[in-house]
Amino acid sequence: MSQARRFAGSAALVLVDGATLLRPEPALFEAMLEGWGRQQRSRRLSVPLVESRERLVRRFQAFTGVWLWGWTPEQVEAWSCSGGWAHSTIR
């Protein structure tokens, strides 16, 4: 990836240049989560908070069966309706 696309928290900082991935979607998903986690930790957010956010994203991905770059508002609505969460949590 070019240097111009290496922003803080970018998956490009985690992926190996020049490597051909056999399963690019899971690798990109993991790299994006790792970059996002680094960005949050650099803002001095607590490890439990960062980990809980990552678990939430992983749960949503498992629910939809779609990678995050394909998520839709309809999937968010279906997920929030199926969770049994408190009204304040959904808000």
Side-chain angles (χ1 to χ4, degrees):
M1 300 208 152
S2 72
Q3 281 295 99
R5 299 190 63 153
R6 293 179 184 261
F7 301 107
S10 169
L13 296 173
V14 180
L15 295 172
V16 177
D17 279 337
T20 301
L21 302 172
L22 297 175
R23 297 178 54 213
E25 292 87 359
L28 182 57
F29 180 71
E30 293 300 323
M32 291 173 85
L33 287 180
E34 176 61 28
W36 183 47
R38 287 180 183 180
Q39 188 179 55
Q40 292 178 83
R41 289 188 300 275
S42 75
R43 290 186 284 147
R44 314 279 291 161
L45 297 179
S46 70
V47 171
L49 176 62
V50 174
E51 289 173 349
S52 70
R53 288 176 172 182
E54 181 180 328
R55 280 192 306 275
L56 188 66
V57 170
R58 289 183 184 282
R59 283 177 36 210
F60 185 69
Q61 194 281 324
F63 174 83
T64 64
V66 176
W67 300 111
L68 63 88
W69 47 90
W71 291 347
T72 65
E74 293 82 11
Q75 291 168 327
V76 175
E77 288 178 359
W79 186 60
S80 62
C81 290
S82 71
W85 296 291
H87 180 71
S88 59
T89 302
I90 299 300
R91 261 195 334 213

